[in-house]
Amino acid sequence: MQINQREVAVDVLVEVTAGGAYNSITLRNALARNNALSRQDKAFVTELVNGTLRNMIFADYVIDKFSKTPTSKMKPFILNVLRAAVYQVLFMDKTPDFAVCDESVKLVKKRGLQGLTPFVNGVLRNIARNKAEISVADGDICVKYSYPRWMVDYWLTRYDAEMVAQICKGLNQTPKVSIAVNTLRVSTAELADMLRAEGVSVSNGVYLDNMLLLSGTADISALKAFKDGLFFVMDESSMLAAKVLAPKNEAKVLDICSAPGGKACALACLSDDKAQIRAFDIYEHKIWLIEDALKRLGLKSVKPELLDATKFEPSLENSAEYVLLDAPCSGLGLLRKKPEIKYRKTMADIKELAKFQREMLVNVSRYVALGGCLVYSVCTISPMEAEDVVEWFTANHPFELEPIEGDFIGKPGITTPRQGCIQVLPTSPEVTADAFFIAKLRRRKI
């Protein structure tokens, strides 16, 4: 029996929006269950799910304009059929509008909801006929880009309206797959040629020479270059955090909250696999992920270990010259990859996370040797979790911010909120990396 790719997409949307499931996991599992889908159909499902989630507030705004029944009263399945159809009609050019309407009606019938087919058909055809007239009030960033009001208001406390609009627009773009080259085995240019030979579209990273951006591959793990351990998947912003720490060969390094292991692998490559790197995580199954990555890449300098970063471990006190804390955070910088986050987080979450991050930073700072370097990073656009945490920390502990240097300073999207800090913002089409905050701290010797 032929698999209906729109049905697969709508089922994922229902699980995510009504069931609270994680989008990336649910989508991956759905595609695995429907492995008979062609590569093109899998790409269609992925775009339809992610695109609908990125533009969900706008889609609901449009539906409410053309439906007598408000979206808040609709059954989850019907609502997500309409949302997916609106995304196709207004944002995708792959299917004629009449076909989108017809396929949506067929899907409703297939689920035994024949009584609702006239409603679905009428709403969608009305939207399709009038799509040229659909508009959003000037300045309504929330509806235009589908962001909750509290989040836009929060960003407006630090950035002007034009910048916030750029951030929202940038975070709605489809992300590229970013990989880090295992420079101990291959050069960036050599790997790029190998990947092109496997049919993958490759471009250079925006900020760093050891990064590549990929498209045109459905399963990275199936690539020969991946199996041979020539690269690992890692966002360029995460690599920036490792680059800012830049441990020397033979140095003692702690990678806190290490899983799934990209940062530890990056630190190993940056130190020619000669540093003494201890990679910590609180969950045993994540330790296994790190071990698998190290084995595939042939890296020997990293030792994965279990550790609760919220509890002080006396044996680690003053033990490391370099410490990287990529702290748990709100994840607002990951909205390209995880668009459902923006509908789930609240301002209360931000405040609670900031408190947690302060406590974790204080705890981890005790592991830094006198004169040692501590890099604090979070994958978010949230000053309360970023600059504010660092400002409070340096005012109350024997650490000072140290200037961050590198060829990436001044490149598109990289701002410097204050000396010793950088913030990656998606403010231009060139910025493919996650939004990220990084601070470089040095422990005073006395």
Side-chain angles (χ1 to χ4, degrees), residues 141 145 156 160-171 426:
I141 297 171
Y145 298 112
L156 286 170
D160 61 32
E162 182 179 356
M163 176 72 85
V164 172
Q166 289 177 344
I167 290 170
C168 292
K169 182 179 179 180
L171 287 174

Side-chain angles (χ1 to χ4, degrees), residues 52 55-64 71 83 86-87 146:
T52 302
N55 295 278
M56 195 166 73
I57 291 175
F58 177 72
D60 287 359
Y61 165 83
V62 172
I63 295 166
D64 280 331
T71 52
R83 285 169 170 166
V86 167
Y87 180 73
S146 292

Side-chain angles (χ1 to χ4, degrees), residues 110-285:
K110 183 179 178 183
R111 289 300 178 91
L113 299 169
Q114 289 91 338
L116 291 172
T117 55
F119 167 74
V120 170
N121 186 57
V123 170
L124 292 180
R125 292 192 182 279
N126 206 4
I127 290 172
R129 281 194 301 268
N130 295 281
K131 65 179 181 179
E133 282 72 50
I134 294 172
S135 63
V136 178
D138 290 342
D140 195 340
I141 297 171
C142 299
V143 173
K144 185 175 183 179
Y145 298 112
S146 292
Y147 283 78
R149 170 54 62 187
W150 76 263
M151 195 177 295
V152 170
D153 287 345
Y154 177 37
W155 287 337
L156 286 170
T157 64
R158 299 294 177 108
Y159 309 109
D160 61 32
E162 182 179 356
M163 176 72 85
V164 172
Q166 289 177 344
I167 290 170
C168 292
K169 182 179 179 180
L171 287 174
N172 275 6
Q173 302 307 304
T174 302
K176 292 187 177 181
V177 177
S178 174
I179 64 168
V181 182
N182 183 355
T183 51
L184 302 179
R185 288 187 170 181
V186 67
S187 71
T188 302
E190 289 170 337
L191 178 59
D193 288 342
M194 292 178 187
L195 291 169
R196 290 186 183 108
E198 290 195 67
V200 180
S201 177
V202 183
S203 59
N204 292 328
V206 177
Y207 301 132
L208 298 168
D209 293 338
N210 65 329
M211 303 297 296
L212 293 171
L213 303 172
L214 310 185
S215 59
T217 175
D219 183 5
I220 284 179
S221 63
L223 296 171
K224 183 177 185 302
F226 179 87
K227 294 176 181 177
D228 291 344
L230 303 185
F231 70 87
F232 49 102
V233 177
M234 186 179 194
D235 191 82
E236 202 163 4
S237 286
S238 293
M239 179 59 77
L240 279 175
K243 189 76 171 178
V244 168
L245 189 69
K248 295 179 181 178
N249 294 2
E250 315 297 339
K252 293 180 179 179
V253 184
L254 303 183
D255 177 19
I256 313 295
C257 306
S258 181
K263 297 180 295 295
C265 295
L267 293 169
C269 290
L270 289 169
S271 59
D272 294 327
D273 206 21
K274 294 177 180 177
Q276 300 174 52
I277 303 168
R278 299 175 73 178
F280 298 115
D281 202 88
I282 192 172
Y283 298 111
E284 188 170 6
H285 70 277

Side-chain angles (χ1 to χ4, degrees), residues 290-327:
I290 300 171
E291 290 173 340
D292 287 346
L294 294 170
K295 183 178 180 181
R296 182 177 60 81
L297 296 164
L299 299 172
K300 307 297 185 184
S301 63
V302 181
K303 181 183 178 183
E305 302 176 60
L306 283 170
L307 180 79
D308 184 346
T310 64
K311 298 177 181 177
F312 178 65
E313 173 51 56
S315 66
L316 296 177
E317 188 166 18
N318 302 325
S319 67
E321 299 149 271
Y322 299 88
V323 175
L324 174 58
L325 173 59
D326 188 28

